[in-house]
Amino acid sequence: LRQGIAEVIYGAGKTAEQIAGIVEAMKKRGQELVLITRMDPEKARHTEELLKQKFEDGAGFRYFDGTGIGICGDFPEKDGVGTIVVATGGTSDIPVAEEAALTAEALGNQVERLYDVGVAGLHRLVAHMDTIMSARVIIAIAGMEGALASVIGGLADCPVIAVPTSIGYGASFHGVSALLSMLNSCASGVSVVNIDNGFGAGYLASMINHMKG
Amino acid sequence: LRQGIAEVIYGAGKTAEQIAGIVEAMKKRGQELVLITRMDPEKARHTEELLKQKFEDGAGFRYFDGTGIGICGDFPEKDGVGTIVVATGGTSDIPVAEEAALTAEALGNQVERLYDVGVAGLHRLVAHMDTIMSARVIIAIAGMEGALASVIGGLADCPVIAVPTSIGYGASFHGVSALLSMLNSCASGVSVVNIDNGFGAGYLASMINHMKG
Amino acid sequence: LRQGIAEVIYGAGKTAEQIAGIVEAMKKRGQELVLITRMDPEKARHTEELLKQKFEDGAGFRYFDGTGIGICGDFPEKDGVGTIVVATGGTSDIPVAEEAALTAEALGNQVERLYDVGVAGLHRLVAHMDTIMSARVIIAIAGMEGALASVIGGLADCPVIAVPTSIGYGASFHGVSALLSMLNSCASGVSVVNIDNGFGAGYLASMINHMKG
Amino acid sequence: LRQGIAEVIYGAGKTAEQIAGIVEAMKKRGQELVLITRMDPEKARHTEELLKQKFEDGAGFRYFDGTGIGICGDFPEKDGVGTIVVATGGTSDIPVAEEAALTAEALGNQVERLYDVGVAGLHRLVAHMDTIMSARVIIAIAGMEGALASVIGGLADCPVIAVPTSIGYGASFHGVSALLSMLNSCASGVSVVNIDNGFGAGYLASMINHMKG
Amino acid sequence: LRQGIAEVIYGAGKTAEQIAGIVEAMKKRGQELVLITRMDPEKARHTEELLKQKFEDGAGFRYFDGTGIGICGDFPEKDGVGTIVVATGGTSDIPVAEEAALTAEALGNQVERLYDVGVAGLHRLVAHMDTIMSARVIIAIAGMEGALASVIGGLADCPVIAVPTSIGYGASFHGVSALLSMLNSCASGVSVVNIDNGFGAGYLASMINHMKG
Amino acid sequence: LRQGIAEVIYGAGKTAEQIAGIVEAMKKRGQELVLITRMDPEKARHTEELLKQKFEDGAGFRYFDGTGIGICGDFPEKDGVGTIVVATGGTSDIPVAEEAALTAEALGNQVERLYDVGVAGLHRLVAHMDTIMSARVIIAIAGMEGALASVIGGLADCPVIAVPTSIGYGASFHGVSALLSMLNSCASGVSVVNIDNGFGAGYLASMINHMKG
Amino acid sequence: LRQGIAEVIYGAGKTAEQIAGIVEAMKKRGQELVLITRMDPEKARHTEELLKQKFEDGAGFRYFDGTGIGICGDFPEKDGVGTIVVATGGTSDIPVAEEAALTAEALGNQVERLYDVGVAGLHRLVAHMDTIMSARVIIAIAGMEGALASVIGGLADCPVIAVPTSIGYGASFHGVSALLSMLNSCASGVSVVNIDNGFGAGYLASMINHMKG
Amino acid sequence: LRQGIAEVIYGAGKTAEQIAGIVEAMKKRGQELVLITRMDPEKARHTEELLKQKFEDGAGFRYFDGTGIGICGDFPEKDGVGTIVVATGGTSDIPVAEEAALTAEALGNQVERLYDVGVAGLHRLVAHMDTIMSARVIIAIAGMEGALASVIGGLADCPVIAVPTSIGYGASFHGVSALLSMLNSCASGVSVVNIDNGFGAGYLASMINHMKG
Ligand SMILES: Nc1ncnc2c1ncn2[C@@H]1O[C@H](COP(=O)(O)O)[C@@H](O)[C@H]1O
Ligand SMILES: Nc1ncnc2c1ncn2[C@@H]1O[C@H](COP(=O)(O)O)[C@@H](O)[C@H]1O
Ligand SMILES: Nc1ncnc2c1ncn2[C@@H]1O[C@H](COP(=O)(O)O)[C@@H](O)[C@H]1O
Ligand SMILES: Nc1ncnc2c1ncn2[C@@H]1O[C@H](COP(=O)(O)O)[C@@H](O)[C@H]1O
Ligand SMILES: [Mg+2]
Ligand SMILES: [Mg+2]
Ligand SMILES: [Mg+2]
Ligand SMILES: [Mg+2]
Ligand SMILES: [Mg+2]
Ligand SMILES: [Mg+2]
Ligand SMILES: [Mg+2]
Ligand SMILES: [Mg+2]
């Protein structure tokens, strides 16, 4: 992360030992905040132990249940221009949403969460019209039919970053249905990142939210 | 069509001569209404001529511009229970919508058209809330991201027949994006027919609309 | 479920604790019947224990072996207009079929099961001609080549809801073969729901079966 | 064709000049029967002219309208063991069926045609039960949902060669739907050739029909 | 299996209890030979125990290591007309090959095995030219590039049944590469069954090998 | 276009008459700038004639050769915050690039074009390092392997909007290769729009470029 | 082309005027040999005329019928180390083969052509065993099942560059079948270029053939 | 491996017993170096034990952690002409890279490793310009967007063998994204092997690197 505020480790293919080692190196370089993504609870517990051996304060490691994310250090001050709204279609999309939200927070952004506002229950979304209209960037996260991005894109006038998720079964094809849906959005201002890529959406949202006029 | 009211000819792979011949045979058998789908204007003009040679009144043939549909005979009385609403996401979906609507009308149904009410402009859809809530069956037709079916399915309490269309470009993959989107709909009461299959949707809607309690 | 008779919990991504919690909340709201889908036996056992701790009568929880379905409360009176027939191509399709059948029963429908009547043994299907001809709605469930929907659609005059299943191997591609087959059905009156979506089919069938003339 | 009775030219990528040239060479080598597949009417007319210039009797060239097939010479005696039945789901499949049937006839087989007996109208198929049960080999040809092969395979006890056709639209994906359906057939004794490959099916059927006990 | 000689149970989705129960029922009906496919060693062991409890001779159950196949009863006399050759491209294809070979043997055929004769080492195939030329039917089994079917089809004059296998990695896509390769074979007389469908190939080969002239 | 500055007509499925009619209506509503995309030269010529009949100044219509774009009215003042860079991998991508660039210009943005700087000739890209580093938003447009987005995303610190194009042959699959490549970009700050969707990219870039600090 | 001997113009998306212009510029820079690929006969004729207006000798332009290739200037001396063999499965693959062969010749290589030696007629291939064994690089070109690359790769000990072609129909999917087949080749020393990319294969073969020991 | 220097065993589908048996047979035939690929640590440990029972020196077996590769015997002298560079986009690609590098070393080549030089951080690649420009063959290995092959192919003048890896998530589709990207490379001199096929790339690179001028 060039912005210097936070460093991110992609935890998926790494052992607890490797992760703890990278955290140690980063901390020694003076990095204040380190975010680790895609870590299952077991690996997180093991990483925590290792960090406790390496640092008196365990490098300030905390694990966010049900998100796959661990963080070492304190969140920075919120220096973004406006608010980033993170919306999901269902509750199963929350891990991806938290990856986006925590990334954005780690990069100094005010984040508002709107979870489980999928289009099959439009009233839940409409109830949050104010939040949507006052956002500076919106991250729309959905699996299955992925219609959320289009509906939000049609309502809001700010950039919408769409994140398809692999949630679903059958013809959702592990996120392909939502991905195609989002790429075909008829609403202007919508762009798309990879399936389940909460980090990428949070990072891009932060970048836009930090642009000076 | 077992219901006896109308017969349908799938015009796509047939010559004007073949179509006129089948119409002639049907008329001779006493069939009052014949619907011909997927006929380009050129073929329609040629069929019309041939029917004028065969019948004094040209078998009552009329062609509906921009729909691919020709009809011989008069629409029957409307004996369905309620109204079938035919909604489209965009104006490019109208030919498929008319295939559905005219099929339903030819089978004796009251049809209400809601065209160009796609989810990127949700207000246009919401403006017709009454129509949606009072429908007995809704046919939701959309290409690109196909979100219309989910949104309508979430609002209405009646069966929704979703028709993906091949309208779009790039990652719409000739209707695949809309098809997957519709199959993955989180709204209950939604089922799907083949890409561009307006006829199938109109037929099924009529079947449901004629069910006695 | 708007119809108020039953509530459904999608159990796939939820823990036993979460499920028991939702059941508790629903029961407190006065909900009489709660259906839980996609629960493996282990999770069901655990849910049962938790419910026994929460309710004297264990909330009336019963688990249906080999179906993934648990039910709290008694089935309502059958107030649908006619009979819903649930047919499968093979015995491996039965879990999906039971999801459909139990959903329909939970919503107050008379259900008749025709299992293992696949088209490779047409005589088994033909032996039940009466059942097929007298159904108000038919749910046709099949994996592999998915031909059942077309054959039934050709025989019956009522709406046929086709459910492709992920049963099969090789070029069945986890339900894609059956899905495409069903979408391409040449029989009129057939529509399709997502692969393995027994619930969606049961719900839609109930909706149609409750329509007053 | 090793069997020496007939030679086949694949006409698709060849000019009339090339085809006439190959026919000439084959005739000079003493070949009595030459079959040319995949020739559009225009190319056939041009080939006919060229052959009239080369041979007094125009090499006995005849073109079969609506099949893409031209033949030079007389059909051989029927020396196969039994009858090859060629069945199609619809009328649009007939060109592929004729490619199969004429190939089989050119190789000395008795052929019986059962066209338009698709499973959406099962009674038309059942009306020909005798023909099906007495066949030595059956070629089942269908586009769209391709269910014909399974149904016939379930009824008959002889080898069934399934030919998917590219007939259809939308989710038929130019024959993929029928192909997958046929590969997944639950009926024993069914094998599959390439989409639209009437020639390959006719050749294999002849091979089997000429096997001595 | 209509031919009465053997019955086959598809073991993949069934428990040992279910399998033993079906075997028992078949034996009671007087069935002499029962073949069970797709049974892992653990399930086979368990089935064996259960059969020992039900029958004094354990119903004659034997399990063939590395093939997934169990058999109850003795192989019948070989009453087929000629020899069925079962050839594989590699050694990993052998389980599928044994499914084909044992099925054919259970149906009364003389089978000759040619394993690991893939086209990347053509000399191994050519060394068995005699076997290939004298076969009545050949089953060509291969994963990866699946070229074996074309090469054998080009050499032999008898029907070739091609079985793609899911062996491979990367762009083999679990058998799709081999499947497409085989469907596109330029050799005449080749037809294809589903990926890994050794049983289907063995059954069809037996059917052809039992045809009387 | 909500921003009021320009209106855009998607010309692909419309006749010249329809386009001229819409322009007329917009002009009557007081719209100063109208952009028409996806218009072939023939349709543009015809539209021009019709507009000359309707307006004395032909509504100020100009057609941009080789881009598919026509414009009525004058470009607005450039009121965006910084510069939008539009980069392409090859010369064949230019029509899509011009759709993006002209859209951005029509919405009041300073645009800089970097065409034919694909990664197979990295030096051409590196020669424009200054332009890349000083951009506020970059639109990276490429077909074939689509690597441009990743390389630019790795170099620049601003948002990169990636547009895959359908340029290529064989395994480019009409833009799928570039689309997947861009979705999988390892560079942060990259998001993707539909294949060939120059308009969408230009619109989103303008939105970001107009955000006040 | 860095090697300086020849320049190549990709003619597919260019007009005759553009091509003639580029040739003129190259010739002025002193380039002796210019190769133009993917030019249809009509465009070639027009280019020839334009070059005749620009150069007295028409820039030495010659068009190779049925290959899409035009050449300005004389082939250079053959300075490669050995011989490049260009083999095709069928006659329809020849245009791609000539693109490869002429590219290699334009770059100073000795080329030997082995056309129509597909694996369904292995004897034709085996008849050229000497040529295959003495090649320095082999380009194996095939559509349909693409088995040629594996068979040649198994026989030869030199690098084999496989070129899938889009020749075929049905399940050849415009070259996908051949592409997958070649990627999965079990023979060592085989690598693959894009579908129909004769130029790329010819260029790489020349590169290898010019490597000094 | 025909070159006689080394033999390779594909370990994926084999048991430790089978592997040890093959090693024993090869050693008895006098083979000095045996490479075993795709062996997990557990299987390697077991193989090691078995080899210790069979050979006093355990057949010289060593396992390379994190690569899946085991080797029996000493690496041969380096007799290749130049250096083979093995480059990867990320650290997760290293197992595939080591398969390529160790294969090349086992075949007598000088190998230089350039790991984690992906295009999202171009400076890391550019820092190794000398290595790239002086290579005789380059193996470019990358997952996700696979752009590395194009960038290296554009920089270097030697043959580039591209290896897509299955590393990634979402729209990487287990290596398909990288595969397509590499097949579409606009850089000349690039060819592709199967996803994750490090062995095939190492073998081909060695073949080229041993060609005498
Ligand atoms: N969940 C994620 N999805 C995609 N990319 C990520 C994710 N988490 C981290 N990254 C990226 O991976 C980089 C770190 O990768 P690594 O050096 O392998 O730990 C970060 O700088 C991010 O660019
Ligand atoms: N097996 C199923 N497949 C698809 N949807 C289901 C299934 N079971 C329940 N649902 C839907 O999921 C909703 C409950 O979801 P949840 O609130 O996540 O438990 C129900 O109202 C149904 O609409
Ligand atoms: N319609 C067809 N589809 C597939 N293969 C065909 C067809 N017609 C002819 N063939 C085959 O093509 C061979 C002749 O090809 P050719 O030498 O190119 O004319 C014949 O021997 C047949 O094997
Ligand atoms: N048939 C072809 N297929 C792929 N690439 C080609 C072909 N012909 C030429 N090229 C490449 O295209 C470049 C020229 O492209 P252009 O500048 O657009 O004419 C050449 O240097 C080659 O790298
Ligand atoms: Mg918007
Ligand atoms: Mg609803
Ligand atoms: Mg029906
Ligand atoms: Mg049968
Ligand atoms: Mg043969
Ligand atoms: Mg960047
Ligand atoms: Mg070789
Ligand atoms: Mg290069």
Side-chain angles (χ1 to χ4, degrees), chain A residues 1-2 6-14 19 22 26 35-38 69 99-100 103 194-201 203, chain F residues 185-189, chain H residues 90-92 116 120 124 144 169:
Chain A
L1 291 189
R2 273 174 210 75
E7 285 276 2
V8 181
I9 301 170
Y10 181 67
K14 304 200 174 70
I19 293 172
I22 304 176
M26 286 175 171
L35 200 94
I36 308 134
T37 64
R38 313 265 166 117
I69 294 182
E99 189 179 299
T103 296
N194 196 4
I195 296 164
D196 290 334
N197 191 3
F199 165 75
Y203 184 92
Chain F
S185 177
C186 300
S188 301
Chain H
T91 54
S92 319
D116 199 17
R124 288 202 304 269
M144 306 295 290
Y169 65 90

Side-chain angles (χ1 to χ4, degrees), chain G residues 2 4 27 38-39 47-48 60 71 83 88 145 177 185 187:
Chain G
R2 273 173 210 77
K27 284 282 173 188
R38 312 265 165 116
M39 230 186 344
T47 302
E48 188 165 20
I71 286 188
T83 296
T88 74
E145 89 269 67
S177 169
S185 175

Side-chain angles (χ1 to χ4, degrees), chain G residues 24-67:
Chain G
E24 193 180 13
M26 286 175 172
K27 284 282 173 188
K28 283 202 178 135
R29 282 207 314 262
Q31 183 63 41
E32 293 204 359
L33 183 57
V34 181
L35 200 94
I36 307 133
T37 64
R38 312 265 165 116
M39 230 186 344
D40 61 51
E42 178 53 32
K43 196 187 284 185
R45 240 188 325 267
H46 191 22
T47 302
E48 188 165 20
E49 275 171 40
L50 293 169
L51 286 173
K52 283 202 178 128
Q53 293 163 15
K54 286 178 198 283
F55 296 89
E56 255 180 58
D57 68 342
F61 181 90
R62 283 149 303 146
Y63 184 66
F64 294 73
D65 280 324
T67 72

